[in-house]
PDB file of all heavy atoms in Angstrom:
ATOM      1  N   GLN A  90      19.172  41.249 -28.574  1.00  0.00           N
ATOM      2  CA  GLN A  90      18.026  41.274 -29.469  1.00  0.00           C
ATOM      3  C   GLN A  90      16.996  40.220 -29.067  1.00  0.00           C
ATOM      4  O   GLN A  90      15.781  40.487 -29.046  1.00  0.00           O
ATOM      5  CB  GLN A  90      18.508  41.022 -30.904  1.00  0.00           C
ATOM      6  CG  GLN A  90      17.432  41.108 -31.957  1.00  0.00           C
ATOM      7  CD  GLN A  90      18.003  40.864 -33.355  1.00  0.00           C
ATOM      8  OE1 GLN A  90      19.179  40.586 -33.532  1.00  0.00           O
ATOM      9  NE2 GLN A  90      17.143  40.969 -34.347  1.00  0.00           N
ATOM     10  N   ALA A  91      17.478  39.013 -28.715  1.00  0.00           N
ATOM     11  CA  ALA A  91      16.563  37.948 -28.303  1.00  0.00           C
ATOM     12  C   ALA A  91      15.852  38.302 -27.001  1.00  0.00           C
ATOM     13  O   ALA A  91      14.653  38.039 -26.837  1.00  0.00           O
ATOM     14  CB  ALA A  91      17.335  36.637 -28.144  1.00  0.00           C
ATOM     15  N   VAL A  92      16.579  38.912 -26.073  1.00  0.00           N
ATOM     16  CA  VAL A  92      15.984  39.309 -24.787  1.00  0.00           C
ATOM     17  C   VAL A  92      14.940  40.405 -24.998  1.00  0.00           C
ATOM     18  O   VAL A  92      13.853  40.375 -24.399  1.00  0.00           O
ATOM     19  CB  VAL A  92      17.085  39.781 -23.812  1.00  0.00           C
ATOM     20  CG1 VAL A  92      16.465  40.455 -22.582  1.00  0.00           C
ATOM     21  CG2 VAL A  92      17.953  38.605 -23.388  1.00  0.00           C
ATOM     22  N   ILE A  93      15.244  41.368 -25.831  1.00  0.00           N
ATOM     23  CA  ILE A  93      14.302  42.468 -26.104  1.00  0.00           C
ATOM     24  C   ILE A  93      13.008  41.935 -26.707  1.00  0.00           C
ATOM     25  O   ILE A  93      11.903  42.352 -26.331  1.00  0.00           O
ATOM     26  CB  ILE A  93      14.967  43.514 -27.018  1.00  0.00           C
ATOM     27  CG1 ILE A  93      16.056  44.276 -26.238  1.00  0.00           C
ATOM     28  CG2 ILE A  93      13.938  44.491 -27.582  1.00  0.00           C
ATOM     29  CD1 ILE A  93      16.946  45.140 -27.105  1.00  0.00           C
ATOM     30  N   HIS A  94      13.121  40.994 -27.638  1.00  0.00           N
ATOM     31  CA  HIS A  94      11.919  40.396 -28.234  1.00  0.00           C
ATOM     32  C   HIS A  94      11.133  39.601 -27.192  1.00  0.00           C
ATOM     33  O   HIS A  94       9.897  39.638 -27.154  1.00  0.00           O
ATOM     34  CB  HIS A  94      12.306  39.497 -29.406  1.00  0.00           C
ATOM     35  CG  HIS A  94      12.753  40.250 -30.610  1.00  0.00           C
ATOM     36  ND1 HIS A  94      13.539  39.685 -31.595  1.00  0.00           N
ATOM     37  CD2 HIS A  94      12.550  41.529 -30.992  1.00  0.00           C
ATOM     38  CE1 HIS A  94      13.781  40.593 -32.529  1.00  0.00           C
ATOM     39  NE2 HIS A  94      13.187  41.713 -32.185  1.00  0.00           N
ATOM     40  N   PHE A  95      11.843  38.856 -26.347  1.00  0.00           N
ATOM     41  CA  PHE A  95      11.186  38.087 -25.285  1.00  0.00           C
ATOM     42  C   PHE A  95      10.477  39.037 -24.322  1.00  0.00           C
ATOM     43  O   PHE A  95       9.335  38.806 -23.918  1.00  0.00           O
ATOM     44  CB  PHE A  95      12.240  37.250 -24.554  1.00  0.00           C
ATOM     45  CG  PHE A  95      11.692  36.395 -23.447  1.00  0.00           C
ATOM     46  CD1 PHE A  95      11.246  35.113 -23.704  1.00  0.00           C
ATOM     47  CD2 PHE A  95      11.634  36.867 -22.138  1.00  0.00           C
ATOM     48  CE1 PHE A  95      10.739  34.309 -22.684  1.00  0.00           C
ATOM     49  CE2 PHE A  95      11.128  36.089 -21.110  1.00  0.00           C
ATOM     50  CZ  PHE A  95      10.686  34.804 -21.389  1.00  0.00           C
ATOM     51  N   ARG A  96      11.144  40.121 -23.972  1.00  0.00           N
ATOM     52  CA  ARG A  96      10.575  41.123 -23.057  1.00  0.00           C
ATOM     53  C   ARG A  96       9.332  41.771 -23.662  1.00  0.00           C
ATOM     54  O   ARG A  96       8.355  42.046 -22.951  1.00  0.00           O
ATOM     55  CB  ARG A  96      11.646  42.162 -22.758  1.00  0.00           C
ATOM     56  CG  ARG A  96      11.244  43.264 -21.800  1.00  0.00           C
ATOM     57  CD  ARG A  96      12.437  44.183 -21.530  1.00  0.00           C
ATOM     58  NE  ARG A  96      12.035  45.366 -20.793  1.00  0.00           N
ATOM     59  CZ  ARG A  96      12.868  46.324 -20.421  1.00  0.00           C
ATOM     60  NH1 ARG A  96      14.160  46.231 -20.734  1.00  0.00           N
ATOM     61  NH2 ARG A  96      12.424  47.373 -19.750  1.00  0.00           N
ATOM     62  N   ALA A  97       9.341  41.991 -24.984  1.00  0.00           N
ATOM     63  CA  ALA A  97       8.207  42.615 -25.662  1.00  0.00           C
ATOM     64  C   ALA A  97       6.959  41.733 -25.630  1.00  0.00           C
ATOM     65  O   ALA A  97       5.842  42.233 -25.822  1.00  0.00           O
ATOM     66  CB  ALA A  97       8.584  42.947 -27.104  1.00  0.00           C
ATOM     67  N   SER A  98       7.129  40.443 -25.380  1.00  0.00           N
ATOM     68  CA  SER A  98       5.977  39.541 -25.303  1.00  0.00           C
ATOM     69  C   SER A  98       5.244  39.668 -23.972  1.00  0.00           C
ATOM     70  O   SER A  98       4.240  38.985 -23.750  1.00  0.00           O
ATOM     71  CB  SER A  98       6.431  38.093 -25.513  1.00  0.00           C
ATOM     72  OG  SER A  98       7.208  37.635 -24.420  1.00  0.00           O
ATOM     73  N   GLY A  99       5.757  40.529 -23.076  1.00  0.00           N
ATOM     74  CA  GLY A  99       5.099  40.765 -21.797  1.00  0.00           C
ATOM     75  C   GLY A  99       5.619  39.925 -20.659  1.00  0.00           C
ATOM     76  O   GLY A  99       5.077  39.990 -19.547  1.00  0.00           O
ATOM     77  N   LYS A 100       6.672  39.153 -20.894  1.00  0.00           N
ATOM     78  CA  LYS A 100       7.214  38.293 -19.844  1.00  0.00           C
ATOM     79  C   LYS A 100       8.358  39.007 -19.118  1.00  0.00           C
ATOM     80  O   LYS A 100       9.053  39.851 -19.685  1.00  0.00           O
ATOM     81  CB  LYS A 100       7.699  36.974 -20.458  1.00  0.00           C
ATOM     82  CG  LYS A 100       6.589  36.214 -21.197  1.00  0.00           C
ATOM     83  CD  LYS A 100       7.145  34.985 -21.906  1.00  0.00           C
ATOM     84  CE  LYS A 100       6.115  34.357 -22.846  1.00  0.00           C
ATOM     85  NZ  LYS A 100       5.020  33.695 -22.121  1.00  0.00           N
ATOM     86  N   LEU A 101       8.543  38.632 -17.872  1.00  0.00           N
ATOM     87  CA  LEU A 101       9.549  39.259 -17.022  1.00  0.00           C
ATOM     88  C   LEU A 101      10.960  38.832 -17.441  1.00  0.00           C
ATOM     89  O   LEU A 101      11.208  37.644 -17.706  1.00  0.00           O
ATOM     90  CB  LEU A 101       9.307  38.865 -15.562  1.00  0.00           C
ATOM     91  CG  LEU A 101      10.315  39.361 -14.523  1.00  0.00           C
ATOM     92  CD1 LEU A 101      10.302  40.891 -14.441  1.00  0.00           C
ATOM     93  CD2 LEU A 101      10.022  38.729 -13.158  1.00  0.00           C
ATOM     94  N   THR A 102      11.874  39.781 -17.503  1.00  0.00           N
ATOM     95  CA  THR A 102      13.285  39.484 -17.780  1.00  0.00           C
ATOM     96  C   THR A 102      14.127  40.092 -16.665  1.00  0.00           C
ATOM     97  O   THR A 102      13.990  41.270 -16.335  1.00  0.00           O
ATOM     98  CB  THR A 102      13.741  40.057 -19.130  1.00  0.00           C
ATOM     99  OG1 THR A 102      13.554  41.480 -19.148  1.00  0.00           O
ATOM    100  CG2 THR A 102      12.970  39.435 -20.278  1.00  0.00           C
ATOM    101  N   VAL A 103      14.998  39.260 -16.084  1.00  0.00           N
ATOM    102  CA  VAL A 103      15.828  39.696 -14.960  1.00  0.00           C
ATOM    103  C   VAL A 103      17.268  39.285 -15.218  1.00  0.00           C
ATOM    104  O   VAL A 103      17.546  38.127 -15.570  1.00  0.00           O
ATOM    105  CB  VAL A 103      15.340  39.073 -13.633  1.00  0.00           C
ATOM    106  CG1 VAL A 103      16.259  39.494 -12.479  1.00  0.00           C
ATOM    107  CG2 VAL A 103      13.905  39.489 -13.350  1.00  0.00           C
ATOM    108  N   ALA A 104      18.177  40.231 -15.046  1.00  0.00           N
ATOM    109  CA  ALA A 104      19.613  39.951 -15.143  1.00  0.00           C
ATOM    110  C   ALA A 104      20.241  40.112 -13.780  1.00  0.00           C
ATOM    111  O   ALA A 104      19.893  41.030 -13.020  1.00  0.00           O
ATOM    112  CB  ALA A 104      20.273  40.893 -16.141  1.00  0.00           C
ATOM    113  N   PHE A 105      21.175  39.208 -13.474  1.00  0.00           N
ATOM    114  CA  PHE A 105      21.896  39.263 -12.209  1.00  0.00           C
ATOM    115  C   PHE A 105      23.378  39.103 -12.470  1.00  0.00           C
ATOM    116  O   PHE A 105      23.800  38.237 -13.234  1.00  0.00           O
ATOM    117  CB  PHE A 105      21.410  38.159 -11.264  1.00  0.00           C
ATOM    118  CG  PHE A 105      22.328  37.924 -10.090  1.00  0.00           C
ATOM    119  CD1 PHE A 105      22.429  38.872  -9.079  1.00  0.00           C
ATOM    120  CD2 PHE A 105      23.098  36.775 -10.002  1.00  0.00           C
ATOM    121  CE1 PHE A 105      23.276  38.666  -7.995  1.00  0.00           C
ATOM    122  CE2 PHE A 105      23.943  36.564  -8.923  1.00  0.00           C
ATOM    123  CZ  PHE A 105      24.035  37.513  -7.911  1.00  0.00           C
ATOM    124  N   GLY A 106      24.176  39.955 -11.833  1.00  0.00           N
ATOM    125  CA  GLY A 106      25.622  39.839 -11.943  1.00  0.00           C
ATOM    126  C   GLY A 106      26.264  39.942 -10.585  1.00  0.00           C
ATOM    127  O   GLY A 106      25.911  40.823  -9.793  1.00  0.00           O
TER     128      GLY A 106
END
Side-chain angles (χ1 to χ4, degrees):
Q90 184 179 3
V92 169
I93 289 169
H94 288 158
F95 181 89
R96 181 177 171 180
S98 69
K100 301 174 190 289
L101 176 64
T102 59
V103 178
F105 165 70

